[in-house]
Amino acid sequence: MLLFSALLSLAACAATAPAATRAVAAPDTTRKPAAPVSEDISRFRPVFSPPKVVAALPSAASRPLVTPANQVNAQVEQRLRDQAYTNQNVKYAQGFRIQAYVGLEREQAMAIRRAIISRYPEETDYLTFKQPIFRLWIGDYLTRLEAEQAMLRIRPLAPKAELEPAQVVLNKTSF
């Protein structure tokens, strides 16, 4: 046992010898071209047989044309009329408005409102006062794209304008 531990310590000392005594060659990292394979491996490749030829289907021109009959019956027409009537009574939808002003000064809110309405008279405006804050919203837009386009037009007049999701009015001409 004592002899084994002595051999182990000698081996450990030999492994930690100074670098000058051992000459270690740098590993070769250059890429060598692969040797060509001289063995024929084509026998291992799968072989597929060509697909079977299927008889040609009759063309659409040779088939007789069938016209639909009674595809819309009275019940379907009644449901469509009911849905149209219901849709006429919808006044609000989820959309976007531009919040042009939020602040304490009524005169500033009115000045921004006048500037926007004078330049874009077709836009609707909503001025609310919830003590002590005035809020000015512009427009009723169903899509974010429409609202973003309008905000680009309004931004020079109201630099702090922001988009907000809101319930917007539909069918403004019918009121």
Side-chain angles (χ1 to χ4, degrees):
M1 189 63 146
L2 188 58
L3 184 61
F4 178 69
S5 62
L7 277 169
L8 190 60
S9 63
L10 279 176
C13 290
T16 59
T21 59
R22 286 191 293 168
V24 177
D28 186 17
T29 59
T30 59
R31 185 173 276 236
K32 296 178 180 78
V37 178
S38 61
E39 187 178 354
D40 183 24
I41 58 172
S42 62
R43 63 183 174 163
F44 297 111
R45 291 188 186 128
V47 178
F48 297 102
S49 60
K52 296 177 182 175
V53 178
V54 180
L57 296 174
S59 65
S62 65
R63 282 189 246 147
L65 188 61
V66 178
T67 57
N70 297 329
Q71 72 271 21
V72 178
N73 58 21
Q75 289 178 336
V76 173
E77 287 180 2
Q78 181 60 40
R79 297 248 169 112
L80 289 173
R81 279 195 299 272
D82 291 347
Q83 187 64 44
Y85 180 74
T86 303
N87 288 344
Q88 286 176 349
N89 294 330
V90 173
K91 294 180 181 169
Y92 300 99
Q94 201 59 30
F96 295 91
R97 285 192 179 144
I98 299 171
Q99 186 172 8
Y101 178 78
V102 176
L104 302 174
E105 299 178 20
R106 182 177 190 272
E107 288 305 316
Q108 190 174 2
M110 294 302 284
I112 291 173
R113 178 180 176 264
R114 279 191 299 273
I116 291 172
I117 296 303
S118 66
R119 181 156 310 161
Y120 306 108
E122 72 279 356
E123 296 290 347
T124 54
D125 62 296
Y126 303 92
L127 182 64
T128 61
F129 175 68
K130 196 170 194 179
Q131 192 171 3
I133 296 174
F134 287 93
R135 297 180 199 273
L136 175 64
W137 286 287
I138 304 295
D140 290 315
Y141 307 104
L142 290 177
T143 65
R144 188 175 188 95
L145 181 63
E146 292 173 350
E148 290 282 351
Q149 290 171 346
M151 193 164 74
L152 288 175
R153 290 180 296 166
I154 291 173
R155 186 62 58 81
L157 304 172
K160 294 182 180 179
E162 295 178 357
L163 272 185
E164 283 194 359
Q167 197 171 25
V168 298
V169 178
L170 295 177
N171 303 328
K172 291 186 277 189
T173 57
S174 65
F175 295 123

